[in-house]
Amino acid sequence: MRLAADAPAPDWDSIEFAFECADPENRAYYDTVTGEVCVTGPFEDDPGERERIDAAPQRYLEIDRLPTHERFQRMERFAREEVGDPQLRERLLRALEGRGPFRRFKEALLSAPPVRQRWFAYEAAALRRAIEQWFAERDLAVRTAPPWARGSDATSHAAGG
């Protein structure tokens, strides 16, 4: 992630929400001028957003939701690599079979609160890596590093501006 003084300061919370949003009717766009996230769809806060995006499409980049298969692979990887208890690992892997694997996986974690907490941290870290990769792939500069990266390697790539 590239930092620059003249770049927008992204709304990191809204970006995280946009990446996680499972509603197929909503679309999220990153405003490369302001750093805001615009959401369009049946329940958008500002009905004029779609018109603004259409009027300046080069300014807005669509934020694609994380693909379901990536989220599924993340759960499988967590169960196989991060869960030491063989019985819990097997329950988690069985939960991923058939319909409703996301709900069943989270339900299986209810019986192991410490592992459940580790899952949420694991999932958040993976989401944040995906966000950072999205910015890097588009060579988008930002004024402020995301809150999770402050003081880490991300801020050492600051560019003058």
Side-chain angles (χ1 to χ4, degrees), residues 37-160:
V37 173
C38 303
V39 177
T40 64
F43 303 109
E44 64 192 57
D45 291 335
D46 180 355
E49 286 193 324
R50 178 80 257 165
E51 289 77 18
R52 283 193 298 280
I53 292 166
D54 289 343
Q58 69 286 354
R59 175 178 170 164
Y60 298 92
L61 299 176
E62 185 167 3
I63 300 172
D64 296 320
R65 292 181 239 14
L66 291 177
T68 302
H69 72 275
E70 282 184 29
R71 293 172 52 222
F72 183 89
Q73 288 171 343
R74 188 181 311 145
M75 291 186 301
E76 186 176 43
R77 199 169 30 256
F78 176 81
R80 290 189 191 284
E81 299 172 8
E82 304 292 328
V83 177
D85 177 345
Q87 291 177 325
L88 178 58
R89 181 183 321 116
E90 188 58 36
R91 271 200 322 269
L92 291 171
L93 292 171
R94 271 197 317 271
L96 296 175
E97 298 171 359
R99 299 177 67 102
F102 298 99
R103 176 185 48 80
R104 285 198 320 270
F105 185 85
K106 289 179 182 171
E107 286 174 356
L109 284 169
L110 289 174
S111 67
V115 177
R116 183 173 184 260
Q117 287 304 113
R118 282 197 351 253
W119 160 248
F120 287 128
Y122 182 91
E123 185 178 37
L127 172 68
R128 291 166 175 173
R129 281 191 306 274
I131 291 170
E132 290 173 5
Q133 182 178 357
W134 187 85
F135 276 85
E137 286 172 353
R138 287 153 185 80
D139 193 32
L140 294 171
V142 296
R143 184 178 332 140
T144 58
W148 61 84
R150 294 199 179 121
S152 74
D153 189 43
T155 58
S156 68
H157 297 92

